[in-house]
Amino acid sequence: MGEKSVDKASLSMLDKAAQEGIETAWDRYEKQQPQCGFGLLGLCCRHCNMGPCRIDPFGEEPQEGICGATADTIAARHLLRMIAAGAAAHSDHGRDIVTTLYETAEGEAQGYQIKDEGKLRALAAEFGIPEEGRSKEDVARDLAREAMEEFGMVKGTLNFLNRVPEKRRQLWEKLGIAPRGIDREIVEAMHRTHMGVDNDYVNLTLHGVRTGLSDGWGGSMFATEFSDVLFGTPQPVRGKSNLGVLKEDQVNIVVHGHEPVLSEMIVQAAKDEELIAAAREKGAQGINVCGMCCTGNEILMRHGVPVAGNFLQQELAVITGVVDAMVVDVQCIMPALTQVAKCYHTKLISTSPKARFPEMEHVPFSERTALDTARQIVKMAVDNYPRRNKDRIQVPDEEMEYMAGFSVEAILKALGGSLNPLLDAIKAGQIKGIAAVVGCNNPKVTQDSGHLTITRELIKNDVLVVQTGCAAIACAKAGLLLPEAADQAGPGLSAVCKALGIPPVLHMGSCVDISRILVTAAAIANALGVDISDLPAAGAAPEWMSEKAVSIGSYVVGSGVFTVLGTVPQVLGAKKFTELLTKGAQDVLGAAFAVETDPLKAAELIIEHIAAKRKGLGLEA
Amino acid sequence: MKEVQIDVGRCVGCKSCEIACAVEHSAGKELFGAIFEEPQPRKRIFVQHAGEKSVPVNCRHCEEAFCVRVCPTGAMYRQGAIVLHNRNLCIGCGFCELACPFGAITRSPGSKLVTKCDLCPDREIPACVSACPTNALSFTTPEEAQRKKRRTLAEQMFLP
């Protein structure tokens, strides 16, 4: 690894950490070097207690595990379990949103309301639920029940498959990978990867795609759509990003994790006059709620709430010395936070029964008492404000404006109500194609450099970039989410962006909101009467690290989109399996993975791919 | 002169030393590329299990090296404190393998020519030592290694 980050705010906080003797993920990464070769290559199996077993990567003995599993079986089983874990994370998040909608409809969720009734009724129609002349609560109750059914469904395939282009759906049917119930695919993945069940790496991979699809076109899509119903469908909104959004003279609350259910209420509670008065009494100018990771994305998409940073900045936010409370729910929360926070006054508060941290204060969160709990948490932050150690405060200056909120509905609105202007721009070659740049941070990559290098190169070449997750936060911090960034785009894309007043890089939300990208791709394919795999489109995960990213990769490729990975997946020791993922999948799914750790070369791969797909559609390269 | 020292009790049998050794003796010296190289790079250290224990075994670079003595062509030779092997002179007779008391000399894949530890001439610390996550392997002088053992013993003797 070269530099730790390209973000000056990160670097200044890393200097502070070094001076104060505080360890961060980068230090722990160094201490893990060299990482286990068997693990890196996917050649270690711990699925049963005959093992652990390892395969020699250099062709020497052993070449089989005790049960006889080969490198390909072992790596494919391991990847399937990663997909199952990732799909489970997204889908369980989706389930929580569905449950919240149900309880809201029942009048049992405190502080929530149905904000987008139009979307509720449209979804009801999609699910065949009568809505005319019925109250929104009645419709929401039936819709939520119907959605709950889809998690443990016994009949047919997922309802959202009606959004998938006909050709793609038929392909899934033919391959036997059209996803059935969401939970079922995850359970089946665990069953198949048990000792002595599915040992054929091809068969395992097909189920991996199906499990991923149950996330993308199931769990994640429910999370997105139902969050829109509850909290409003995002529309273009401006806000600020990076550690500079933390304010020395305010009570700073960082909401970190993934679900919007709690953070929405904290945003609401922080506006409470009584609490603001309490903050003033303690000497603060006000209450400043900031986001971190995808919880941050959820609330910035809908409210323009400042976002303090992405995955690798969670410890750095605490190191500023001005975070009075960091509230976490689920996913991507480093257990190391408790150690870092011990060196400062920061109060860490866990809230989900699913995610507890040793030595972290826990305030159990429930939809039924959501607003009360949110108020209690804000109060804790306010009370903690006077405990700051003034000698240890240092907030970076870096702060950058962003424009976000590009839901599918918002994009359509920007286009004047129909996809046609976008299609015309693609056909005319003003926009060469669309690339989704998504995913995490990973200390194996200089923080944000993967995201920024690929994104800048793509827009320069007239490729419209859509983003979610930590990739989007990276681009927010670099100013790429502003309409002015059109100046960094090629002439075609730049002209389109300027005409529409949009940035060349569209922030579409949190990691579950990649479902918005799927919906957009499907809509474009349907409008052109082709399959998604025919589109001049590609995906990239330049700095991915989580199992959720593996699930995303599998449903994106499964949906027909070529995807470039910027960190090496733990499969290379399994040569036939690697060949399947990077080449064989192309013949079966019309899309495959590429692994390219150099972001400039990755961008080149995407640009070449888009040119080839344009040619396939009879468009000028 | 530093040598690879083995603290037998610390080896957990992870074989990280074996992989690091093979990677260091590949053309690209990088894991993800090394596994695709032909001929496949070969490790020169071996984690040998004995019951529930395991121990990394490699060339001890003996003073009176039997392998050097039995080599009919001078392929196995001594350079200072290190025993090295010249592939160009090796005829693949296998006498050195027979002579080595530790099983530290093995054949190259698909050939009768042998390979052995060269203490990683391109590195300050041999790859196996750098890769060991439990410090079962260390690279120190025998004097320092013995001093360390004596210190541990002394500390144990004066425990309250």
Side-chain angles (χ1 to χ4, degrees), chain B residues 1 4 30 46 48 55 59 62 65 67 69 72 79 93 95-96 98 115 118 125 128 130 133 142-143 153 159:
Chain B
M1 179 69 200
V4 175
E30 182 268 322
F46 306 88
Q48 182 60 48
V55 56
C59 171
C62 310
C67 57
R69 214 187 290 171
Q79 190 177 70
C93 66
F95 265 124
C96 55
L98 293 175
T115 52
D118 56 5
I125 297 171
C128 54
S130 300
E143 294 78 15
L153 175 73
L159 277 179

Side-chain angles (χ1 to χ4, degrees), chain A residues 34 37-38 40-41 54 56-60 568 572-573 575, chain B residues 13-15 19 22 31-32 35-36 40-43 130-131:
Chain A
F38 296 99
L40 285 169
L41 296 171
R54 285 163 296 175
D56 186 284
F58 298 105
E60 294 188 41
V568 183
L572 290 199
K575 307 219 166 120
Chain B
C14 73
K15 300 190 180 200
I19 290 198
L31 175 69
F32 296 137
I35 61 168
F36 293 101
Q40 288 187 303
R42 184 102 166 134
K43 66 188 175 202
S130 300

Side-chain angles (χ1 to χ4, degrees), chain A residues 191-513:
Chain A
H191 179 188
R192 285 182 187 230
T193 53
H194 184 277
M195 186 269 146
V197 185
D198 201 351
N199 294 291
D200 174 9
Y201 70 95
V202 179
N203 207 40
L204 284 160
T205 307
L206 284 170
H207 186 67
V209 174
R210 176 159 56 182
T211 307
L213 292 173
S214 82
D215 168 1
W217 298 91
S220 280
M221 207 165 271
F222 278 120
T224 299
E225 300 291 41
F226 283 41
S227 290
D228 285 357
V229 169
L230 274 170
F231 309 120
T233 303
Q235 291 299 325
V237 64
R238 280 176 185 257
K240 292 196 168 152
S241 62
N242 214 344
L243 294 169
V245 302
L246 299 167
K247 297 297 169 212
E248 262 190 76
D249 57 357
Q250 298 199 30
V251 174
N252 293 304
I253 304 174
V254 174
V255 286
H256 174 25
H258 279 76
E259 298 185 0
V261 179
L262 165 67
S263 50
E264 281 279 340
M265 289 301 119
I266 298 221
V267 170
Q268 209 169 308
K271 291 177 186 156
D272 187 313
E273 287 302 330
E274 232 172 83
L275 287 165
I276 294 171
R280 292 227 171 92
E281 231 164 78
K282 305 270 181 200
Q285 294 298 309
I287 302 171
N288 181 33
V289 178
C290 302
M292 175 69 65
C293 289
C294 277
T295 282
N297 282 321
E298 294 277 354
I299 51 177
L300 80 79
M301 286 287 284
R302 297 192 177 92
H303 307 286
V305 166
V307 61
N310 49 7
F311 176 68
L312 277 176
Q313 285 173 301
Q314 53 187 292
E315 295 171 284
L316 307 183
V318 175
I319 290 168
T320 62
V322 297
V323 175
D324 302 297
M326 184 178 272
V327 192
V328 303
D329 53 19
V330 290
Q331 299 169 22
C332 303
I333 303 147
M334 290 190 192
L337 280 173
T338 49
Q339 291 308 312
V340 179
K342 272 184 193 166
C343 306
Y344 299 90
H345 81 300
T346 303
K347 196 175 265 301
L348 298 173
I349 305 164
S350 62
T351 55
S352 167
K354 296 170 198 165
R356 297 288 294 262
F357 299 77
E359 300 177 70
M360 196 185 284
E361 188 158 347
H362 187 71
V363 177
F365 173 79
S366 141
E367 287 82 356
R368 289 160 191 259
T369 52
L371 201 50
D372 290 343
T373 308
R375 280 202 201 99
Q376 181 193 345
I377 289 170
V378 173
K379 182 76 176 25
M380 287 165 78
V382 168
D383 289 343
N384 199 30
Y385 176 81
R387 289 185 58 244
R388 284 187 193 175
N389 180 349
K390 297 224 161 45
D391 302 332
R392 300 276 300 277
I393 290 175
Q394 184 192 328
V395 183
D397 297 329
E398 282 74 19
E399 190 180 23
M400 178 58 81
E401 208 186 348
Y402 64 77
M403 181 194 263
F406 289 95
S407 58
V408 179
E409 292 83 345
I411 293 174
L412 279 173
K413 200 169 153 197
L415 291 169
S418 122
L419 275 176
N420 289 338
L422 177 62
L423 300 181
D424 292 343
I426 292 174
K427 285 177 192 161
Q430 272 183 299
I431 294 177
K432 298 286 184 203
I434 303 176
V437 179
V438 300
C440 330
N441 284 147
N442 184 330
K444 288 179 178 174
V445 182
T446 301
Q447 188 204 8
D448 294 349
S449 70
H451 299 309
L452 298 181
T453 308
I454 286 194
T455 302
R456 287 192 176 119
E457 191 64 17
L458 289 174
I459 62 171
K460 205 167 80 189
N461 285 278
D462 290 320
V463 175
L464 175 67
V465 175
V466 291
Q467 295 198 320
T468 62
C470 285
I473 299 174
C475 288
K477 293 185 292 173
L480 287 167
L481 302 190
L482 288 168
E484 297 87 292
D487 290 334
Q488 298 179 49
L493 176 61
S494 174
V496 174
C497 289
K498 283 176 180 165
L500 298 172
I502 59 169
V505 183
L506 302 180
H507 189 339
M508 296 188 75
S510 64
C511 45
V512 291
D513 291 336

